[in-house]
Amino acid sequence: MKINKKFPYLLIVSCLCILIINCSKTDSELEPQNQAYLSTYKPDTSETILIRNARVLTGSGDELDNASILMENNKITAIGEIPLDTDAKVIDVKGKWITPGIIDIHSHMGVYPAPGLRSNSDGNEATNPVTPHVWAEHSVWTHDPQFTLALKGGITTFHVLPGSANLIGGRGVTLKNVRSVTVQGMKFPGAPYTLKMACGENPKRVYGNRNQEPSTQMANVAGYRQAWIDAQDYMKKAEESRKTPKRDLAMETLSGVLKGEILIQNHCYRGEEMAIMLDIAKEFNYKVTAFHHAIEAYKVADLLADQGVCAAMWADWWGFKHEAFDMVWENVAMVDQAENGTGCAIVHSDSAIGTQHLNQEAAKARAAGNRVGMNISRARAIQWITLNPAKALGISDQVGSLEVGKMADLVIWDGDPFSVFSKAEKVFIDGHLKYDAENDHAYERTDFDLGIIDPEESRL
Amino acid sequence: MKYLLITTTFILCFLISGVNAAESEKILIQNATVITASDSQILENTDILIDSGLIVGIGSNLVANDAIKIDASNQIITPGLIAPYSQLGLMEIQLERETRDDSTQHYSAGFSIVNAFNPSSTLIPYNRSGGITSAIVGPSSAKSIYSGMASVFKLDSKLVTDFVAKDIAMAVSFGAGSDSRASQILMLEDTFNKALRYNDSREQYRLLADFDYDDHTVRDLEAILRVLNNEIPLIVRSNRAKDLLRIISLGKKYGIKIIFHGAKEAWRIAEIIAEAGIPVILDPMDNLPSSFDAIAARMDNAYLLNKAGVKILITSQDTHNSYLSRQGAGNAVAHGLPQNEAIKALTANVAEVFGLSDELGTIEEGKVADLVIWDGNPLEVSSFATAVFIDGKQVSLVSRSTRLRDRYLQKLGLTKQPLIEN
């Protein structure tokens, strides 16, 4: 879209833009710069599959017994009691558990891949504390063998973030756990962009050690505020200017946040820091979508619930930094149950090992809550790794629960998904069987896995 | 939403701790399912009598009128878990150097951490509440190939008691680094040879260099000699299969006892490790090909090693969550390891490999009463320890973490009364 240089037109165009954004643009309507880097992921049309006799945790809050799920054309088209369709391929799971595909809201797979080498340590642009111009997707190594390990653990969608060295670290990207040479071929179609921000010790340690700002918490906060002031100024100038302003990648990202198009994912451990970040959001009129690594979320659980902010938490990791010293096993459950159960709790691991067992992390968090007298069902707790992360990533209209019209991403478990002894048996993405434990050698490996140990074999 | 004030588990917990167990010498635990981690494996409906810190009776319908009685119906008892290698008591906050005592710049092989152990560390009650009753505590990997010596401690938080056993193993790291692994082998051989030469003419060397001998102090050389004299084992942290083979050869050449730690590619040479009688400390969940030393890492390493006859010891890589060795063991079971072998890998095998099995590691008459009562399968992530005994005394399961929890449960109105005073 060419922007008319005459002022009155510009105003109209801006209004139009907002209108178009609000009714979600199709690819051809986007500005040229935004037509690049779009998702090219288009799954083949899947065969019609009817899963029968399942115990289903829907992700939307229910547990269904003896249920069926119909998948056709990459979507879930029916769930519950479904008459036997002779055209469908029938899988009788004989009472096994089914959950939505697991969603990992905090991953550095691809940007901190395995093996960890200097040459592929691409997650932190730790040369400046404010780098909203960088995009994690441009760092993703698409052959990271951690992707397939996560798939075996039931991860169907994951959100890759820049690291936490910077106050504003850059854009995150949501990917489907499918193999593709190009990152565009993994990008979750239509997922909004996210922006990584980081509170606390990491930015001030990285830059303080170089005798640069920020070296204190207060300079962290000054740094965020200055960035938003710059963004507001940029937007105002762009609106007032008669000329098309020179493009500014950093400001495009920050103004995207202020326009509500880009979702803030904020690494933040401490209760008092989260409260301050919420005040910064108030000062500049944007929304914090989720706090990540929110070790002390339980201390401000009522505030988070009141403001509709999600918290992504570990089940039990702690002690690696002072800001991670006050961990409680009940953190997730307390956030979930705050303000009459209106809290938005998410379980994450920030680990390529943990992501393979996110169901176990949720199980630990649920058990901890129930031990202190809460009564959190499986149906509720599964949302911590399905629907709630989908909401926080702005993709809950497409994934996160097993509902008609959503993508056919689901996991068949060989036992109770809240047990350490259970494993993902079959993982479907968009109706395609991507992993099958009964045929462990059949899943698609990354390029890295080929011939790396024995030239004639694959890695695992 | 209605909250139960306290779950059944909690009531039980409360009742047990309401009894002043610390005052009595005798405790009778009744009606438990006992996983002995010994040959007798699992005993149903069994009582355990504890007297003066020891297990003095195991059987059904034991009678001891003067004992404090604890009903453990529907609960499971295991030996206290032993962390096979951690920095418990040496580290409070990983990134804060001044809270750490797990490395040195002055010593190498002979670095003993025994005088740094802090029984008041917050990690100790926390991990005790996760079922760990004792720990092999050793230094972290150092710049030098040698990390130093490990000692054994109880997690009873007592200021006055000291180590259980001192300097019982030496740790080294071998593999990818700034220097070639070939050079690392040479350095091990050279220091072994130096230690032997030093042994031949001790007094001369002492006069020559009381402190420094080619970067290795007399203390370091004395420690290496203990390894060479087969008094203590050498724990070798290494992952690559070929490296493990080289260490096996080195061990044979010098006739020393080896324990592998990490050993992510060990499954590739499981039979050879079994034949060499080398135990392996591992985290079964660490299946990442995180470096070119561990490309062949996989989830069933524990299962494959055990199947080949290797004695495995299951650890958590994270000292703060040492108790999560349980989750690792559970995952190993999910990938084929028999449950009883997994329990042994957390208890009996650790005691045996570090020479502690006269007192620890199994539930047998005559052993020290380090026990854990669980509200479910101890390998299950949703199970909790409801009571822990160290040296026959019931110990507190309160930690700084539970104090914080209770304070904020109350502040958030998620509980009607404080679970403990706060």
Side-chain angles (χ1 to χ4, degrees):
Chain A
M1 185 183 299
K2 200 177 173 189
I3 293 173
N4 196 303
K5 288 176 184 172
K6 294 205 168 143
F7 179 59
Y9 284 101
L10 184 71
L11 253 185
I12 293 166
V13 170
S14 317
C15 294
L16 249 180
C17 275
I18 289 164
L19 276 177
I20 290 167
I21 284 158
N22 283 344
C23 49
S24 105
K25 293 173 188 175
T26 62
D27 295 355
S28 57
E29 289 171 312
L30 293 169
E31 295 84 351
Q33 65 262 27
N34 292 333
Q35 283 182 22
Y37 320 111
L38 291 174
S39 170
T40 56
Y41 171 63
K42 284 193 183 69
D44 294 337
T45 303
S46 65
E47 60 181 328
T48 304
I49 297 174
L50 178 65
I51 300 176
R52 304 189 70 231
N53 294 321
R55 289 178 83 172
V56 181
L57 299 173
T58 62
S60 45
D62 295 318
E63 179 180 330
L64 311 175
D65 269 346
N66 275 321
S68 298
I69 300 172
L70 187 64
M71 302 189 279
E72 46 190 340
N73 297 328
N74 315 111
K75 299 279 191 286
I76 293 163
T77 52
I79 181 165
E81 281 184 40
I82 305 169
L84 212 55
D85 179 345
T86 46
D87 293 339
K89 180 182 168 185
V90 176
I91 303 176
D92 185 346
V93 297
K94 296 178 178 140
K96 282 180 181 155
W97 293 86
I98 293 185
T99 67
I102 308 301
I103 300 175
D104 185 350
I105 197 171
H106 193 108
S107 178
H108 299 294
M109 291 193 292
V111 298
Y112 283 117
L117 302 168
R118 274 187 198 192
S119 56
N120 62 17
S121 171
D122 282 325
N124 268 310
E125 185 51 47
T127 52
N128 188 309
V130 179
T131 57
H133 57 296
V134 303
W135 297 18
E137 67 193 70
H138 299 148
S139 276
V140 170
W141 180 47
T142 56
H143 306 291
D144 184 353
Q146 297 174 139
F147 295 148
T148 42
L149 294 176
L151 178 69
K152 288 180 171 188
I155 300 291
T156 54
T157 297
F158 57 100
H159 176 230
V160 178
L161 292 152
S164 52
N166 296 348
L167 300 174
I168 298 178
R171 290 197 196 193
V173 64
T174 301
L175 302 177
K176 295 214 78 163
N177 199 357
V178 291
R179 304 288 70 77
S180 163
V181 173
T182 67
V183 74
Q184 293 92 325
M186 296 178 74
K187 279 179 81 170
F188 193 105
Y193 275 104
T194 63
L195 179 64
K196 171 74 175 280
M197 293 179 69
C199 298
E201 288 185 30
N202 289 9
K204 68 175 186 166
R205 182 180 60 253
V206 169
Y207 294 97
N209 284 347
R210 302 176 194 166
N211 208 19
Q212 286 176 24
E213 195 174 325
S215 69
T216 59
Q217 300 274 26
M218 56 190 172
N220 280 1
V221 173
Y224 313 124
R225 295 175 77 199
Q226 189 58 53
W228 296 122
I229 290 167
D230 293 347
Q232 284 182 330
D233 190 48
Y234 168 84
M235 289 170 77
K236 197 164 163 239
K237 279 190 180 143
E239 223 171 281
E240 290 168 358
S241 172
R242 291 171 175 229
K243 290 183 191 165
T244 307
K246 185 186 168 194
R247 285 188 60 197
D248 182 321
L249 291 176
M251 292 304 139
E252 283 177 12
T253 294
L254 294 180
S255 57
V257 173
L258 296 181
K259 288 177 197 161
E261 298 161 9
I262 295 177
L263 310 179
I264 293 286
Q265 309 291 340
N266 196 159
H267 157 127
C268 212
Y269 286 70
R270 287 209 162 125
E272 63 268 31
E273 285 181 335
M274 288 183 244
I276 284 173
M277 296 314 285
L278 291 175
D279 262 5
I280 297 171
K282 201 182 286 172
E283 182 181 2
F284 297 97
N285 195 29
Y286 67 90
K287 183 172 166 50
V288 178
T289 301
F291 288 116
H292 293 226
H293 310 340
I295 287 246
E296 293 188 3
Y298 67 96
K299 297 186 182 180
V300 289
D302 44 1
L303 179 67
L304 299 179
D306 285 343
Q307 299 210 11
V309 180
C310 298
M313 295 157 281
W314 287 290
D316 45 27
W317 202 37
W318 73 293
F320 41 97
K321 293 184 281 184
H322 188 225
E323 64 190 8
F325 200 52
D326 281 6
M327 186 278 299
V328 301
W329 289 340
E330 296 77 4
N331 193 18
V332 174
M334 285 161 85
V335 167
D336 180 86
Q337 295 293 303
E339 300 290 294
N340 297 314
T342 57
C344 172
I346 297 167
V347 173
H348 74 6
S349 73
D350 190 19
S351 147
I353 293 176
T355 196
Q356 300 173 49
H357 313 282
L358 266 191
N359 60 313
Q360 292 173 25
E361 300 303 300
K364 288 188 282 186
R366 171 175 176 249
N370 286 347
R371 191 172 67 127
V372 293
M374 298 173 185
N375 187 19
I376 300 169
S377 64
R378 287 180 178 81
R380 171 101 180 169
I382 200 71
Q383 295 182 308
W384 300 340
I385 52 174
T386 56
L387 189 63
N388 291 357
K391 281 180 185 165
L393 294 172
I395 52 174
S396 59
D397 55 334
Q398 298 190 75
V399 287
S401 60
L402 299 172
E403 291 178 277
V404 171
K406 287 199 176 183
M407 291 172 170
D409 293 359
L410 61 82
V411 183
I412 303 172
W413 300 87
D414 66 3
D416 177 357
F418 288 87
S419 166
V420 75
F421 303 120
S422 302
K423 301 192 292 292
E425 188 175 281
K426 288 186 171 60
V427 182
F428 287 88
I429 298 180
D430 293 299
H432 293 284
L433 181 61
K434 291 291 184 179
Y435 173 70
D436 184 356
E438 287 165 5
N439 190 8
D440 193 33
H441 292 283
Y443 69 94
E444 193 178 353
R445 287 165 170 77
T446 64
D447 287 359
F448 179 80
D449 289 319
L450 305 184
I452 188 73
I453 305 166
D454 177 340
E456 297 189 15
E457 300 281 338
S458 295
R459 198 180 73 83
L460 292 175
Chain B
M1 199 169 300
K2 263 194 163 181
Y3 286 98
L4 295 170
L5 287 182
I6 306 168
T7 62
T8 330
T9 307
F10 250 84
I11 293 169
L12 188 70
C13 236
F14 185 72
L15 286 179
I16 293 171
S17 55
V19 178
N20 198 352
E23 299 284 305
S24 169
E25 293 288 298
K26 277 192 187 177
I27 299 171
L28 181 61
I29 306 171
Q30 295 173 305
N31 308 316
T33 299
V34 180
I35 303 179
T36 61
S38 70
D39 294 337
S40 52
Q41 298 205 359
I42 297 174
L43 311 170
E44 301 288 349
N45 247 322
T46 297
D47 303 342
I48 298 175
L49 182 62
I50 300 168
D51 190 4
S52 307
L54 300 179
I55 298 168
V56 295
I58 302 169
S60 41
N61 304 316
L62 295 184
V63 180
N65 293 329
D66 51 344
I68 291 167
K69 291 176 188 63
I70 295 171
D71 181 16
S73 304
N74 302 316
Q75 302 211 59
I76 294 170
I77 301 189
T78 66
L81 310 189
I82 311 171
Y85 198 94
S86 75
Q87 283 77 48
L88 283 168
L90 304 181
M91 179 197 294
E92 204 64 36
I93 297 168
Q94 224 172 344
L95 271 182
E96 299 291 346
R97 187 64 195 84
E98 64 268 32
T99 73
R100 296 182 63 160
D101 288 295
D102 54 325
S103 64
T104 175
Q105 302 185 359
H106 301 292
Y107 294 94
S108 68
F111 172 49
S112 169
I113 52 79
V114 77
N115 292 318
F117 183 81
N118 175 19
S120 301
S121 162
T122 61
L123 282 73
I124 289 181
Y126 172 80
N127 279 288
R128 184 168 69 216
S129 76
I132 305 234
T133 54
S134 50
I136 319 301
V137 176
S140 302
S141 297
K143 235 180 172 179
S144 151
I145 192 167
Y146 289 100
S147 309
M149 317 273 278
S151 297
V152 188
F153 297 88
K154 287 277 172 100
L155 268 59
D156 57 8
S157 299
K158 284 187 180 159
L159 283 172
V160 288
T161 51
D162 223 330
F163 52 84
V164 174
K166 182 185 171 185
D167 300 336
I168 49 124
M170 179 185 291
V172 300
S173 301
F174 174 55
S178 53
D179 205 11
S180 164
R181 69 195 74 223
S183 154
Q184 294 171 34
I185 285 276
L186 294 178
M187 188 193 173
L188 277 175
E189 288 186 342
D190 287 353
T191 48
F192 286 0
N193 295 338
K194 270 179 204 172
L196 292 171
R197 285 202 301 275
Y198 161 77
N199 192 36
D200 291 342
S201 48
R202 257 165 214 258
E203 287 315 307
Q204 199 184 335
Y205 279 124
R206 273 189 199 280
L207 287 171
L208 270 175
D210 194 28
F211 187 77
D212 205 352
Y213 174 71
D214 283 4
D215 296 334
H216 289 86
T217 67
V218 164
R219 178 179 299 281
D220 294 326
L221 295 172
E222 291 275 8
I224 293 169
L225 272 178
R226 291 187 61 209
V227 172
L228 295 172
N229 293 338
N230 244 319
E231 291 168 41
I232 58 171
L234 187 70
I235 302 172
V236 183
R237 295 193 194 94
S238 193
N239 286 307
R240 186 184 280 185
K242 186 65 188 172
D243 288 349
L244 302 176
L245 286 172
R246 290 194 179 98
I247 295 293
I248 292 173
S249 301
L250 186 80
K252 280 185 183 150
K253 183 175 165 189
Y254 287 89
I256 59 176
K257 278 188 276 191
I258 305 278
I259 300 169
F260 286 140
H261 186 187
K264 285 162 82 167
E265 295 192 347
W267 64 271
R268 296 183 74 194
I269 50 164
E271 274 78 22
I272 299 173
I273 297 175
E275 203 194 313
I278 295 177
V280 175
I281 303 172
L282 78 168
D283 174 356
M285 296 174 78
D286 186 8
N287 66 336
L288 296 182
S290 48
S291 79
F292 271 89
D293 276 18
I295 294 296
R298 54 191 284 167
M299 271 304 284
D300 49 5
N301 196 18
Y303 159 67
L304 293 171
L305 288 171
N306 174 264
K307 197 173 83 169
V310 177
K311 196 170 288 296
I312 56 167
L313 292 68
I314 292 181
T315 189
S316 155
Q317 290 194 88
D318 174 15
T319 283
H320 281 80
N321 282 336
S322 293
Y323 76 99
L324 285 182
S325 53
R326 286 201 298 127
Q327 189 183 356
N331 276 278
V333 169
H335 286 83
L337 184 71
Q339 290 227 22
N340 201 50
E341 293 299 317
I343 295 282
K344 280 159 84 172
L346 299 167
T347 55
N349 292 359
V350 188
E352 200 180 313
V353 165
F354 288 102
L356 307 166
S357 50
D358 284 350
E359 295 193 341
L360 304 177
T362 60
I363 299 180
E364 291 175 284
E365 283 181 21
K367 291 241 175 146
V368 170
D370 286 3
L371 304 170
V372 184
I373 307 183
W374 306 91
D375 63 2
N377 185 331
L379 302 180
E380 184 56 88
V381 284
S382 52
S383 301
F384 292 92
T386 60
V388 175
F389 302 84
I390 296 179
D391 293 319
K393 295 198 168 60
Q394 191 173 358
V395 289
S396 168
L397 298 185
V398 174
S399 65
R400 190 168 173 280
S401 184
T402 65
R403 297 291 306 280
L404 285 163
R405 170 197 74 193
D406 293 344
R407 165 177 281 191
Y408 284 91
L409 276 174
Q410 211 185 2
K411 280 192 178 181
L412 291 167
L414 292 176
T415 183
K416 297 285 189 293
Q417 66 180 43
L419 297 166
I420 57 160
E421 194 186 333
N422 207 338

